Amino acid sequence: TSLSPSQFLRRQQVLQLYRKILRAIREVPAEADRQYLKDWTREEFRRNKGATEEDTIRMMITQGNMQLQELQRTLKLAKS
């Protein structure tokens, strides 16, 4: 099945978010926490893989970005 231009762009956004989250997780100092976050992230993305409703997908991307920012803030505070 080919994707419409908007589906293609949405898919790119999702993949970009996934990669950004995994990159941020690499900064987590404790191995156990890192592994937990990695597993949790993979599971969340896998669980929502079948989502097709545009608004739902947009909402999940927004939520994911907020969680990413929260993780980045926490890591920044931990380093200071």
Side-chain angles (χ1 to χ4, degrees):
T1 52
S2 64
L3 301 173
S4 73
S6 69
Q7 288 172 319
F8 177 79
L9 288 174
R10 193 75 59 227
R11 183 173 189 275
Q12 294 308 101
Q13 281 182 304
V14 171
L15 291 173
Q16 186 180 37
L17 175 61
Y18 183 69
R19 286 194 286 272
K20 280 181 183 174
I21 291 171
L22 289 180
R23 251 183 244 121
I25 289 172
R26 283 190 218 147
E27 306 293 313
V28 173
E31 173 61 37
D33 293 341
R34 225 181 5 256
Q35 194 55 54
Y36 170 79
L37 288 169
K38 224 184 286 180
D39 293 343
W40 182 83
T41 301
R42 284 194 184 112
E43 186 50 40
E44 280 297 299
F45 276 81
R46 213 174 273 133
R47 199 163 55 81
N48 293 304
K49 185 180 175 182
T52 54
E53 186 63 43
E54 275 292 310
D55 289 342
T56 305
I57 296 169
R58 246 195 315 275
M59 185 196 70
M60 287 189 286
I61 290 171
T62 301
Q63 215 170 14
N65 276 311
M66 285 173 9
Q67 289 174 323
L68 172 61
Q69 287 172 349
E70 185 59 38
L71 174 60
Q72 289 168 332
R73 259 196 306 276
T74 304
L75 289 168
K76 205 173 187 176
L77 282 174
K79 284 179 183 176
S80 61

